[in-house]
Amino acid sequence: MSEQNYLPMPEPIPADLLARAANLSPALLCDGLKGMGVTMDGCMDIGINAVNPEGPKLLGTALTVETEGGDNFPIHVATYSSEKGYVMVIDGKAYPHYAYLGGLITGAAKAVGLGGIVIDGYIRDQVEIGKSGFPVFSRGYLPRGPLKKGPGKINHPITCGGIPVNAGDLIIGGGAGVAVVPRALLEEALTKAEEKFAYEKKREKTIAEYSRAIAAGETPPDLAPDWVREMLANNTP
């Protein structure tokens, strides 16, 4: 088995950047990536969903795995050689005939400190996983167990949910889905996402004040945001 199949772990994303990301949502980080030339603004496709949409947020540095045909050998290798704070992102080629993993692998991943798993493929034991408090995202479920062939690849560039993922990228997931932020764009994307977050908080206050004024029989503030009025004024369709 060639060592070239399994590359070293990437440097973890600095704690201060992870702390900033923890205050944001996948949607805000996708907004932060708009106009930066990233496929789908970093948003994985609609087929990648949380086992438990109301479970804990997925957040961490990407550890990548590439496999195919229902083979979970490289997933085992990555699990037992991983470190705390990483998120395992698996390109399983959306293979629909075997579940790549279940409760045992997710239990081991949680024990070693992984922050979650995202797999472009299918899994089993979803009820157990959903109750575990460990965030897992997949294309769906079937009970048929995986194969063990190997070697697969670890920490090579992959595609997951239609999005290119490199080891070391930021992975963030929640009930609405998963976003990938390329490492080189992380600080800029965080800043733009934080600006959008501040804008949304301001809009929430305007909406709340509008509702309060209407209920009190007072003249409400203008509810339309500035950009709507500007586009109307410019006759933008």
Side-chain angles (χ1 to χ4, degrees):
M1 190 176 298
S2 172
E3 292 182 0
Q4 293 180 348
N5 289 91
Y6 301 155
L7 299 180
M9 295 291 287
E11 285 293 318
I13 292 170
D16 62 320
L17 298 182
L18 285 175
R20 290 170 64 186
N23 293 320
L24 303 168
S25 66
L28 283 167
L29 279 162
C30 288
D31 288 347
L33 286 169
K34 284 185 182 297
M36 296 173 71
V38 176
T39 302
M40 284 289 293
D41 300 325
C43 177
M44 288 192 184
D45 71 45
I46 60 173
I48 306 296
N49 291 295
V51 173
N52 181 2
E54 297 181 355
K57 179 184 290 186
L58 174 87
L59 180 67
T61 306
L63 150 66
T64 65
V65 178
E66 183 176 0
T67 187
E68 61 186 348
D71 175 19
N72 79 351
F73 177 77
I75 300 173
H76 278 276
V77 175
T79 299
Y80 309 136
S81 60
S82 62
E83 302 171 15
K84 184 177 180 180
Y86 288 85
V87 168
M88 191 186 302
V89 185
I90 306 165
D91 179 3
K93 317 298 183 186
Y95 191 73
H97 301 302
Y98 293 94
Y100 277 105
L101 58 89
L104 291 177
I105 285 184
T106 56
K110 182 179 181 180
V112 301
L114 282 177
I117 294 174
V118 182
I119 181 165
D120 198 332
Y122 294 79
I123 67 170
R124 61 182 181 177
D125 304 333
Q126 66 268 29
V127 174
E128 175 186 340
I129 292 170
K131 293 177 179 179
S132 71
F134 183 74
V136 176
F137 293 72
S138 76
R139 284 207 175 271
Y141 318 110
L142 76 162
R144 191 184 188 195
L147 304 175
K148 283 134 175 76
K149 296 184 293 184
K153 294 181 179 179
I154 296 174
N155 287 326
H156 288 255
I158 64 169
T159 298
C160 186
I163 302 300
V165 184
N166 288 287
D169 288 346
L170 177 79
I171 307 299
I172 183 169
V178 179
V180 181
V181 183
R183 183 70 167 261
L185 302 176
L186 180 54
E187 292 199 53
E188 183 179 358
L190 283 170
T191 297
K192 290 185 176 181
E194 289 163 343
E195 291 171 354
K196 180 65 182 299
F197 183 62
Y199 166 80
E200 291 186 353
K201 288 298 180 184
K202 184 178 179 180
R203 287 291 299 149
E204 288 173 0
K205 289 181 179 179
T206 299
I207 294 168
E209 175 57 22
Y210 184 95
S211 298
R212 186 207 64 78
I214 291 293
E218 302 172 2
T219 302
D222 192 343
L223 191 58
D226 292 342
W227 65 265
V228 172
R229 293 193 294 273
E230 290 169 2
M231 289 183 71
L232 287 172
N234 293 329
N235 295 317
T236 303

